[in-house]
Amino acid sequence: MIELKGDKMRSRFQRQKRKKMHITLNALICVVLVLIFIVAGKIMWGDSNQASTDNRHNLTKSESEQRNQQNNDTTISKDKETELKNQDKKLRENKKTKEQQEAKRIQKDSEEQATKKQKAEKDREEQKAKEAKEEREKHNSQDEEKVTGPGSSKPIGTSQTGPHTSSYVKDSVDWNEKVKAIQMATGLGVNMNIWRIENGGGPQKSVGKVSPDGEDSWMYVVNLEWVDQKGWKVTSVSKQNR
């Protein structure tokens, strides 16, 4: 009986011991599960925060890249605009330079044409002057060339009587007879310009200097000598420059 009672007590002690062990194990399991949930929650929350942070970081990075791209686009646009303005300015400057060069060329051509025209006009005037000079030289090749004509070798006759006195009063009888002798010797007739009639070196000698009407560069020099009762006689006729 005593032995049976002892066995029962040991069996109950063992059951209590196993029960305590079960309780302890269950508590440990609960603690482990709580720790697992806590760790899992932290991991999940951390991943969520990290994802949010990454998302925010990625978003911030994307916005920054967009702003940088916009800034780059703006810079490129401004650079392109500046380049176009510089090209336009250069084109205007080149056009202005070409216009100035063309204006200078036209002015130079005009000046050259004017110079050529002036030279041609000068050459014509010089040629005319040369021809006129040659013509005068042709007429005056011999300043003392004798000229013969009607009445040059004999007196022309006179209406004067008595002793002769040479007169240099214009339109006097003696003056008019001198003019007549000069006209006959030169062949000029009334178309004659009388420069002067003066004493020829003696009381009965005279000299007349005349030119064709309108001629100023040369003249005839006519020497006259009085012959009593016969009038004035032409002794020589020559051409001289005035």
Side-chain angles (χ1 to χ4, degrees), residues 68-237:
N68 290 335
Q69 183 64 35
Q70 289 176 353
N71 291 334
N72 291 336
D73 292 342
T74 301
T75 301
I76 293 172
S77 178
K78 288 182 178 179
D79 291 342
K80 188 67 175 179
E81 182 180 358
T82 301
E83 182 181 357
L84 291 174
K85 286 182 178 179
N86 291 334
Q87 290 178 354
D88 184 61
K89 181 180 179 181
K90 188 174 182 180
L91 288 173
R92 289 197 302 270
E93 289 176 351
N94 290 338
K95 182 179 179 181
K96 184 177 180 180
T97 300
K98 289 181 180 180
E99 289 175 350
Q100 290 175 346
Q101 291 175 348
E102 182 66 14
K104 288 181 179 179
R105 185 189 66 77
I106 293 174
Q107 182 179 2
K108 183 178 180 181
D109 292 343
S110 178
E111 290 175 352
E112 288 178 352
Q113 291 178 359
T115 301
K116 289 180 180 179
K117 185 177 180 180
Q118 291 176 355
K119 186 177 183 301
E121 184 66 23
K122 183 178 180 181
D123 291 342
R124 284 194 296 269
E125 291 177 355
E126 289 178 351
Q127 183 63 28
K128 289 180 180 179
K130 182 180 179 181
E131 292 175 354
K133 182 179 179 181
E134 290 176 351
E135 186 67 20
R136 288 194 300 271
E137 289 176 350
K138 180 179 178 181
H139 287 289
N140 302 327
S141 58
Q142 296 180 352
D143 289 344
E144 298 298 330
E145 178 186 2
K146 293 293 182 66
V147 180
T148 60
S152 61
S153 60
K154 60 182 181 179
I156 63 168
T158 180
S159 61
Q160 301 179 63
T161 59
H164 176 261
T165 300
S166 184
S167 174
Y168 297 99
V169 177
K170 187 176 181 179
D171 291 332
S172 65
V173 174
D174 191 64
W175 171 277
N176 288 336
E177 289 182 354
K178 290 174 184 174
V179 171
K180 182 179 179 181
I182 293 171
Q183 289 174 336
M184 293 175 66
T186 59
L188 295 178
V190 296
N191 297 318
M192 182 176 68
N193 185 15
I194 300 173
W195 298 109
R196 53 187 171 273
I197 297 176
E198 57 192 5
N199 187 283
Q204 303 301 325
K205 292 183 178 181
S206 295
V207 59
K209 296 179 180 181
V210 299
S211 296
D213 192 19
E215 178 60 58
D216 296 333
S217 62
W218 59 273
M219 62 184 178
Y220 287 115
V221 178
V222 183
N223 288 289
L224 304 171
E225 184 177 359
W226 175 260
V227 179
D228 286 338
Q229 307 301 320
K230 294 182 179 180
W232 288 101
K233 174 184 176 181
V234 176
T235 58
S236 68
V237 179

Side-chain angles (χ1 to χ4, degrees), residues 33-47:
L33 290 173
V34 169
L35 290 175
I36 290 172
F37 283 124
I38 291 172
V39 172
K42 287 184 176 180
I43 292 172
M44 293 178 64
W45 178 259
D47 290 341

